[in-house]
Amino acid sequence: MSARLNEFGQPIGPDLSDWTARPRPPRSPMEGRTCRVVPLVAEAHTAGLFATYSAAPDTRGWTYLGDEMPTSEAVYRARLEAMETSQDPLFHVVLDRTSGEALGIASYLRIDPGNGVIEVGHLHFGPKLQRAPAATEAMALMMGRAFDELGYRRYEWKCDSLNAPSRAAALRLGFTFEGIFRNAVVVKSRSRDTAWFSITDAEWPRVRAGFAAWLDPANFDAEGRQRRGLAELREAVR
């Protein structure tokens, strides 16, 4: 951020006199090559999501979430019905592009149209989505909506500071680590320090180009293995 000086010689931030509040995210699908990211509908998605999470070998995927694995599909249906009506967080389901299978959940939250700030969170990817190209594409689609479609200025990622996989994922996706908020919240009767990450609108074009290069089918061999990593391709844009 370049500083300007006011009439008192004090440094001040860049001019945003033409800034206007941004729209809230719409409840509409985001379409990709390997996945679709659609608004959560309990009636349509409960069975698929419950099957997806039940297929995991254990419940470690729930450790850093605010809730636990539901004991039954009926219990989960009630939970999803409440999530479906929420405006913030605004929950979405990641679907396999070909089969329509529900693969996981993601949401927009802490939506701040006035300041142009939005967060992605409540991420819970089932076994088939973890480390799959669709997981990366789903995140690219959600970022693209925030920056390109809606014109937000800042996109945030936060997680338990002890959640090493989430912190690594944020860095891989192009977020910048900003620091630790100590004793930030109480989750499941535990104290949580929260790690903060962000991408700004100025950084987004390079992040977007990295996604496009990585998701190109030519970047994968016949067995579906990547030829070049996402961070490598993003750095090549510099």
Side-chain angles (χ1 to χ4, degrees):
M1 179 182 294
S2 59
R4 302 176 297 145
L5 299 180
N6 66 8
E7 64 270 30
F8 306 110
Q10 298 167 307
I12 58 176
D15 178 60
L16 287 179
S17 56
D18 60 349
W19 169 259
T20 58
R22 310 318 301 152
R24 296 184 65 84
R27 288 184 181 271
S28 61
M30 291 167 266
E31 306 287 349
R33 185 179 62 83
T34 64
C35 70
R36 304 178 69 230
V37 182
V38 304
L40 169 66
V41 177
E43 182 177 1
H45 300 133
T46 298
L49 288 170
F50 186 75
T52 288
Y53 299 138
S54 296
D58 53 45
T59 59
R60 71 184 64 199
W62 297 86
T63 297
Y64 299 110
L65 298 177
D67 50 14
E68 299 288 2
M69 175 70 186
T71 56
S72 69
E73 187 175 316
V75 169
Y76 196 41
R77 170 70 178 263
R79 187 184 302 176
L80 292 184
E81 286 174 346
M83 292 164 63
E84 179 183 346
T85 63
S86 171
Q87 298 295 319
D88 187 349
L90 182 60
F91 289 96
H92 291 73
V93 177
V94 181
L95 305 177
D96 181 83
R97 180 79 217 183
T98 302
S99 68
E101 181 181 0
L103 303 175
I105 284 177
S107 77
Y108 292 121
L109 68 154
R110 293 169 60 95
I111 303 166
D112 183 353
N115 290 305
V117 179
I118 194 167
E119 180 180 344
V120 64
H122 296 285
L123 302 175
H124 192 183
F125 293 170
K128 291 184 180 180
L129 188 55
Q130 294 167 14
R131 300 183 178 274
T136 298
E137 185 170 37
M139 294 296 93
L141 289 169
M142 293 185 73
M143 286 188 213
R145 169 157 288 181
F147 286 120
D148 295 331
E149 181 181 335
L150 303 176
Y152 278 70
R153 305 174 58 238
R154 173 180 167 87
Y155 194 77
E156 297 179 337
W157 176 295
K158 303 185 186 78
C159 64
D160 190 312
S161 65
L162 300 177
N163 188 347
S166 183
R167 294 181 65 164
L171 295 175
R172 174 183 174 271
L173 291 170
F175 287 84
T176 295
F177 174 64
E178 295 183 327
I180 303 291
F181 279 42
R182 299 175 300 165
N183 288 359
V185 291
V186 177
V187 180
K188 296 179 177 177
S189 301
R190 305 190 301 257
S191 178
R192 187 183 101 165
D193 294 351
T194 298
W196 283 54
F197 301 80
S198 74
I199 295 172
T200 67
D201 54 353
E203 297 163 340
W204 168 239
R206 181 172 62 87
V207 174
R208 178 180 56 204
F211 282 136
W214 190 84
L215 290 165
D216 189 323
N219 188 46
F220 296 88
D221 63 20
E223 284 71 45
R225 295 175 298 219
Q226 67 176 15
R227 300 183 189 277
R228 299 177 69 186
L230 179 57
E232 175 191 356
L233 290 166
R234 186 169 55 247
E235 287 300 312
V237 179
R238 288 186 182 276

